[in-house]
């Protein structure tokens, strides 16, 4: 259950950072922000931030037990 919670927190972190940095036209360097076209919208995503944020959230949840 903690893993599912941490995946959601990682997705929120990745989406938030990618939108803020990607909408300015930057790739974020090591964050590797990618843009995707879905119909008329442009979506931003970062896999390294997602995995790092999910891992950090999972570790924090395990420490709280």
């Amino acid at each position: 259950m903690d893993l599912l919670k941490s995946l959601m927190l990682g997705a929120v972190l990745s989406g938030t950072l990618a939108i803020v940095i990607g909408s300015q036209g930057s790739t974020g360097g090591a964050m590797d922000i990618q843009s995707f076209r879905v119909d008329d919208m442009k979506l931003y995503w970062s896999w390294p931030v997602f995995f790092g944020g999910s891992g950090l959230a999972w570790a924090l949840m395990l420490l709280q037990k």
Side-chain angles (χ1 to χ4, degrees), residues 8-19:
M8 287 190 300
L9 289 172
V12 168
L13 175 69
S14 178
T16 303
L17 283 177
I19 287 171

Side-chain angles (χ1 to χ4, degrees), residues 1 3 7 12 15 20 39 64:
M1 189 65 174
L3 181 60
L7 289 175
V12 168
V20 170
D39 289 331
Q64 291 178 355

